[in-house]
Every structure is written in structure tokens, then in C-alpha cells.
Amino acid sequence: MNLNLRAPENCKFDAVSLGEVMLRLDPGEGRIRTARSFRAWEGGGEYNVVRGLRRCFGMKTGVITAFADNEIGMLMEDFILQGGVDTSLIKWMKTDGIGRICRNGLNFTERGFGIRGAVGCSDRANTAISKATPEDFDFDSIFGELGVRWLHTGGIYAALSEQACETVIAAIKTAKKYGTVVSYDLNYRPSMWSAIGGQGKAQEVNKEIAKYVDVMIGNEEDFTACLGFEIEGNDENLKELNLDGYKKMINHAAETYPNFKAVATTLREVKTATVNDWSAICWADGEIYKAKDYKGLEILDRVGGGDSFASGLIYGLMTTENAELAVNYGAAHGALAMTTPGDTTMASKKEVEAIMGGAGARVQR
């Protein structure tokens, strides 16, 4: 496949993300409702991808977001700097003492175990990035003067507010004007879209965005809820996945949006919160490629697994333009990311490639 990537010597960034970064508060092995202490991390559906591209795969990445200019915002910036992601594109917004003007988002997340599923409890209304408009960012400077080879954004950010819908569309259109490849993770969250028009609004916005996307990513619910594509043969609770139905759906999506150069979806069968079957498929150039199966994958923290899949996929596409290799980078990276706590990866490229090559879990000394 040919992505027509911009030359690295003409771009400051290999990849940037556009979206919200929240403070994740994690009760560890306990529960949110009874916790007396939390471990703090940063995380966000779009940011996690460029953080993985930087930390695991060594690419030059930045994050386009906005923070309320206070102590929590500075803590978030410090977390991002620790991950090696460039913070120069962050918009700092004035706020008052109690967050009436704008604030920084919080995400309480418990991991789940066995029969008890993971639980997320977000506190993210009126955040700085949800209030940001296209005029708050100089997209022509970012994509034109500085230069960006790849933009990643997604449906979690788009669902934050009416302003977010407008900002993501403006960013994608500007990126395309300068030849930046665009990937988008549908990441449907019904609770978020409910405040701005529900599933109808989600489809209206995502169908417009899809016209400009090169690499579309999502799971089974995402493609149905956001773009209206049905997957034949899946049971209502998605306990068993029908691969033939997925392939039909992806081919239909590629016909509907001829601008798609690749379409990828993760395949997850949840046995328990801590044991999943995991894989992925990717369509490119009329062919569908399936990643290695990770049957009975033991999971410590599933949050961010899909984002790490996306970063592995993007790395593979950017460096090889080989969809089969790329989907295996994605599946292996996602699998490894779910063995560690937090939204973001702790894996190395060497570990990812070892897992792709069939390495086991023996002790390394």
C-alpha cells in the first residue's frame, strides 16, 4: 500500500494527536467506591496513541490539547513530559479558582477482576479542551509550517461538546490540505454523545469526519453506532465474534468511503475481566489481513489496549506500508499494554517484536 507520507526531513513531528488528556485516578486492586488512596496517571484515547508511538517505538510526537492553567494542568504536563511527548502545542486556558470557566478532566478507573468487569467514572464536563474552538489552535502553522506526517484523533474527543465536533473537523481538513495522513478511532461512548444529540449526532458528525480519514479504526460497536454499518451474525452480547461478518462490514465501509486506505478493527472476546481472546484485522488494497490470535490472554488492565493497538498499527504502516505486518504490530502491542497498569504502554519495541515472533513468557535473565 502507498500512504504518500510526507518526508520526515520536512516535518517536525512524525505524529500528533488531537484530544483530551485527563488525570486518571486508579484504586489499584480495590474499588473506586471504597478507595482511600489512588495512583495518578495521565490518559486519553487520542493521546495514548502518540505516547505509545514515542515511548515504545521512538517516533517524534506531540499532543494538541488544552489545559486549565492551574496546578492540575501542570501535573498533567509533567506526566506528558515524562512520556517524551512534545508539549509545545498545548493551549493553556485561564480559569478561576473553582473551575467555572474551565477545568481539567478526571477519570476514575478500576480494572475489574474475574466476573467483575472494569469500571470507569469520568468527571470531564466543561474541561478546557471541550471548550476549545478551531481558533484556539493555529492548524495552518502546525500542519503547514512545522509539518506533521500523521494526525491521530477520535470519537471520544469529538463527543465532548459541539465545539469539539467543529474543532476536530477543522483540524482534519487542514491536515489533509498539507498532505498529512489522518487516522481516526471511532471509540463510541454513548454516555458522552447523549448530552449533544445521542447516536443520531454521533452518526452525523462521524459520517462527515469519515470523508477525510485515511486509516479508520474501531471495534464492532463503533462501526455500527457511528457509521451505521451492521455486522452480520454477531450475537447481541458480543460474546462470540463472527469473523465473516466483520470482513463483509469492512469491505462495505471501504466501498462507501473510497478515501479509506486502511480499515482496522480489534477482535476481543471477553471470557472474564481478566481473560480475553484478542486479535485484530486490517483491510488494505482490497485484502483483509488477520493478526495472530492471543487466545486466553491474561489481562491486568484492559484500559488503553485499543489505543496501544492503534499506535502499533500506525507504526507498522508508517515504517513498512505493509498492512499484514502493521496489524500484527498493533495486536502484539495492545496485548502487552494490557499486562501493565495505566492507560499507556510500558512495552518496548523489542518486546513487541519478540511477541510477534512467538516469544513466550519465560524469565529473561
Side-chain angles (χ1 to χ4, degrees):
M1 64 185 298
N2 183 8
L3 290 167
N4 295 315
L5 281 161
R6 295 175 68 179
E9 58 269 22
N10 297 331
C11 296
K12 178 175 179 178
F13 298 104
D14 291 315
V16 300
S17 68
L18 170 65
E20 182 164 64
V21 188
M22 294 182 293
L23 185 67
R24 172 176 168 174
L25 297 171
D26 182 348
E29 295 177 354
R31 304 208 63 181
I32 297 166
R33 64 181 68 170
T34 55
R36 294 297 180 268
S37 63
F38 292 89
R39 189 171 183 183
W41 314 81
E42 88 280 24
E46 298 81 20
Y47 160 78
N48 294 342
V49 175
V50 293
R51 208 270 193 188
L53 284 169
R54 170 64 186 90
R55 202 68 178 147
C56 180
F57 297 107
M59 305 192 96
K60 296 179 294 181
T61 66
V63 56
I64 306 172
T65 193
F67 289 140
D69 192 358
N70 60 20
E71 297 297 314
I72 301 300
M74 287 184 275
L75 172 62
M76 298 299 300
E77 180 190 36
D78 191 65
F79 279 138
I80 294 169
L81 288 167
Q82 289 178 49
V85 176
D86 189 288
T87 60
S88 64
L89 306 179
I90 294 173
K91 170 79 173 179
W92 291 92
M93 293 191 170
K94 184 178 179 181
T95 188
D96 56 14
I98 61 171
R100 283 171 295 202
I101 299 172
C102 70
R103 55 190 289 266
N104 296 303
L106 304 177
N107 182 25
F108 296 82
T109 304
E110 60 184 59
R111 302 172 199 165
F113 186 86
I115 60 171
R116 175 174 58 84
V119 175
C121 181
S122 295
D123 181 15
R124 63 195 302 182
N126 300 313
T127 57
I129 188 61
S130 74
K131 293 194 166 192
T133 66
E135 293 70 37
D136 285 314
F137 303 101
D138 190 342
F139 291 132
D140 281 297
S141 174
I142 292 169
F143 296 107
E145 295 174 26
L146 296 176
V148 178
R149 303 179 73 205
W150 194 293
L151 167 66
H152 179 76
T153 186
I156 291 179
Y157 172 56
L160 278 178
S161 64
E162 291 280 2
Q163 293 96 321
C165 295
E166 295 169 6
T167 304
V168 74
I169 290 171
I172 287 174
K173 286 182 175 180
T174 309
K176 295 300 295 177
K177 181 170 74 173
Y178 291 104
T180 299
V181 173
V182 174
S183 61
Y184 187 84
D185 193 332
L186 291 162
N187 252 333
Y188 180 62
R189 299 289 187 272
S191 60
M192 294 178 65
W193 284 103
S194 64
I196 59 170
Q199 188 173 326
K201 180 68 172 180
Q203 291 204 5
E204 174 193 330
V205 171
N206 283 296
K207 285 180 178 180
E208 175 64 20
I209 288 170
K211 298 173 187 176
Y212 305 97
V213 170
D214 299 292
V215 178
M216 183 64 83
I217 302 168
N219 64 22
E220 62 288 327
E221 183 185 14
D222 298 334
F223 280 94
T224 300
C226 296
L227 298 177
F229 296 114
E230 296 293 336
I231 300 172
E232 296 177 12
N234 268 0
D235 73 281
E236 185 179 350
N237 297 314
L238 299 172
K239 288 183 178 179
E240 293 185 11
L241 305 181
N242 174 22
L243 193 55
D244 288 337
Y246 274 79
K247 290 178 178 179
K248 274 187 175 179
M249 180 276 292
I250 286 181
N251 279 316
H252 186 198
E255 288 169 7
T256 305
Y257 297 99
N259 50 292
F260 288 172
K261 295 178 180 175
V263 182
T265 181
T266 55
L267 303 172
R268 185 195 296 269
E269 291 187 29
V270 178
K271 308 301 183 183
T272 71
T274 34
V275 178
N276 292 182
D277 289 346
W278 169 259
S279 189
I281 52 178
C282 180
W283 172 94
D285 295 328
E287 298 291 330
I288 289 180
Y289 304 94
K290 185 174 181 298
K292 171 184 171 182
D293 284 316
Y294 297 87
K295 297 286 189 183
L297 180 67
E298 293 181 279
I299 292 171
L300 178 65
D301 183 350
R302 68 169 280 172
V303 178
D307 302 329
S308 291
F309 164 75
S311 61
L313 176 81
I314 292 167
Y315 171 77
L317 291 175
M318 290 187 76
T319 56
T320 73
E321 294 194 332
N322 180 318
E324 184 172 20
L325 195 55
V327 76
N328 275 288
Y329 266 110
H333 189 222
L336 278 171
M338 290 186 286
T339 67
T340 54
D343 280 33
T344 57
T345 181
M346 296 183 186
S348 69
K349 179 170 171 278
K350 182 179 178 181
E351 288 173 329
V352 172
E353 290 176 340
I355 295 297
M356 290 168 64
R362 291 182 63 84
V363 174
Q364 296 180 26
R365 304 185 193 275

